[in-house]
Amino acid sequence: MKKNSGFFEKIYCLDELKRPYDYPLAKRPFTVDVELTNHCNLLCVFCDRQLMKRAKGFMDFAVLKKIVDQAAEIGVLGIRFIRWGEPLLHPKVFEAVKYIKSKGLLAHITTNGLLVDEKMAEQIVESGLDNIIFSMQGLDEKGYLEMRRVKAYGAEQHKMLLKNINGLLAVRKKMGADRPYIQVTTTTMDETEEQIKEWREGWNNKVDLATHTGVTSLFRVRNCSKVKPLLNRVKFWKRDMLCHEVLTKMAVNWNGDFTACANDYDNFMILGNIKKMTMKQAWHSAKLNYYRGILKRNDLKEINKKIPYCGYCRNRF
């Protein structure tokens, strides 16, 4: 029997989240995307970390607590550990999950999955984590290794990932737990719709949900040497969607900086720091409202002039 995800039931299915332009601005973000660290055990071909110039580090636990406390105070529904690093590298990641849960919020982690051995799988289940996404690339070993392979994990990297996903499923069952809700997601290059359908159906028979989230984005890293040979296999998007990010979510960097966009890898849209600004103040700040106005008009010329970082985005993060 498929398990239920609190994130889907309490957040993702909300009409206000799906169609925020049809409603007044929410009094608070629905979720907060927290970057526990921007360090990673991989450096994937498609990843903007190749371009990142800002300092790298790990979030201080006191900063994390302040984020969670303020989120709970203003009515945020969930905290997601995603963004520009591997959250499971943080030494206090499970303490953080437990703290989130103690405040009555939903907790989510997106991971590349390579650190999820049996011991960590048990910690994941014991922490009370509500939702976990294993981020993949491609539909098979070849497609995955083309995007994610690093020397540290060798040619068995894809097999290791599959073992770890199956391991977490087994541990959850062994411990008689109803969480976390286990998802896998992937993007693709030039695979066919039939291949994507087969992948989705295969994985949906194993995990709680498998989703294909579109074409692998190579636009920002298109000038990197290891990316250029792949460019003839992927189409770049045209900006064709209103940005929901600035109406539904708040993002926080590892050092406590609020940014208008979870996809902001290099401090393009910083609003302030939690040491000097509250989350509520950031959400209603003049700067964020300025971005909202530009993005709502969705005029590409204006966007490219005033916030060029947003010019190629398709609101997919």
Side-chain angles (χ1 to χ4, degrees):
M1 179 182 294
K2 292 284 185 180
K3 300 181 183 298
N4 296 320
S5 164
F7 269 84
F8 280 95
E9 292 178 343
K10 297 180 180 180
I11 306 178
Y12 298 154
C13 291
L14 292 173
D15 195 58
E16 300 97 314
L17 189 99
K18 294 179 179 179
R19 300 188 300 116
Y21 284 97
D22 293 343
Y23 295 85
L25 177 66
K27 294 181 179 180
R28 80 306 185 229
F30 296 93
T31 60
V32 176
D33 291 348
V34 175
E35 179 186 78
L36 281 182
T37 181
N38 56 350
H39 286 286
C40 192
N41 52 331
L42 298 179
L43 188 58
C44 302
V45 170
F46 57 87
C47 185
D48 296 349
R49 289 183 70 256
Q50 299 172 83
L51 309 175
M52 187 183 293
K53 296 178 181 178
R54 64 184 169 100
K56 295 181 177 65
F58 292 85
M59 181 171 283
D60 186 86
F61 200 74
V63 172
L64 181 281
K65 289 177 70 175
K66 184 176 286 191
I67 293 168
V68 176
D69 289 347
Q70 291 186 11
E73 183 179 344
I74 65 175
V76 170
L77 301 176
I79 303 290
R80 308 193 308 175
F81 292 147
I82 62 172
R83 303 197 55 228
W84 295 109
E86 171 51 61
L88 294 178
L89 286 173
H90 197 287
K92 293 187 176 181
V93 59
F94 299 118
E95 289 180 52
V97 171
K98 290 175 183 177
Y99 191 76
I100 292 168
K101 299 304 300 175
S102 76
K103 296 295 180 176
L105 304 180
L106 294 166
H108 166 87
I109 288 175
T110 292
T111 176
N112 61 48
L114 296 178
L115 300 176
V116 185
D117 56 16
E118 184 174 0
K119 180 180 178 181
M120 183 170 284
E122 291 174 353
Q123 290 177 299
I124 288 171
V125 176
E126 289 170 351
S127 72
L129 183 71
D130 294 286
N131 210 77
I132 189 168
I133 286 178
F134 289 90
S135 181
M136 306 174 76
Q137 249 66 42
L139 306 178
D140 54 21
E141 185 173 53
K142 180 178 180 295
Y144 173 88
L145 293 177
E146 190 172 53
M147 290 288 111
R148 289 193 180 264
R149 182 175 176 177
V150 295
K151 291 181 180 179
Y153 294 100
E156 301 300 300
Q157 184 173 322
H158 184 255
K159 294 182 177 65
M160 181 186 302
L161 173 61
L162 301 189
K163 178 182 177 182
N164 291 350
I165 296 171
N166 289 325
L168 180 58
L169 286 164
V171 167
R172 185 180 69 177
K173 182 177 181 180
K174 180 182 72 174
M175 297 177 68
D178 62 358
R179 63 184 68 175
Y181 187 83
I182 299 173
Q183 296 177 247
V184 296
T185 65
T186 194
T187 62
T188 51
M189 298 282 284
D190 51 7
E191 290 87 342
T192 67
E193 287 298 321
E194 186 175 337
Q195 289 172 317
I196 293 168
K197 180 181 178 182
E198 183 178 350
W199 175 90
R200 188 188 296 114
E201 290 176 349
W203 273 105
N204 273 317
N205 287 327
K206 299 176 183 178
V207 298
D208 298 315
L209 181 65
T211 55
H212 172 253
T213 57
V215 177
T216 303
S217 176
L218 299 176
F219 184 86
R220 290 182 291 266
V221 295
R222 63 193 183 280
N223 293 320
C224 296
S225 59
K226 60 183 179 181
V227 175
K228 288 183 178 180
L230 303 172
L231 294 180
N232 63 338
R233 293 177 51 195
V234 64
K235 293 181 179 179
F236 293 134
W237 309 315
K238 294 181 180 179
R239 183 177 180 82
D240 59 1
M241 295 174 64
L242 286 171
C243 176
H244 289 190
E245 188 87 15
V246 290
L247 299 182
T248 60
K249 293 187 280 184
M250 176 66 68
V252 192
N253 291 347
W254 68 267
N255 66 346
D257 281 341
F258 293 112
T259 175
C261 179
N263 211 4
D264 178 2
Y265 66 89
D266 228 3
N267 295 343
F268 298 107
M269 303 177 77
I270 298 299
L271 306 171
N273 189 282
I274 198 167
K275 295 176 182 178
K276 297 181 179 180
M277 168 188 279
T278 66
M279 186 177 295
K280 184 177 181 179
Q281 288 171 336
W283 183 248
H284 295 285
S285 65
K287 194 169 186 180
L288 184 49
N289 284 330
Y290 170 74
Y291 291 141
R292 287 173 178 139
I294 296 170
L295 292 168
K296 182 178 182 179
R297 290 188 289 273
N298 205 29
D299 183 295
L300 187 56
K301 289 183 178 179
E302 181 185 20
I303 290 171
N304 285 337
K305 180 180 179 181
K306 296 179 178 178
I307 40 175
Y309 170 75
C310 299
Y312 49 80
C313 179
R314 219 179 152 197
N315 193 33
R316 292 179 63 256
F317 200 73

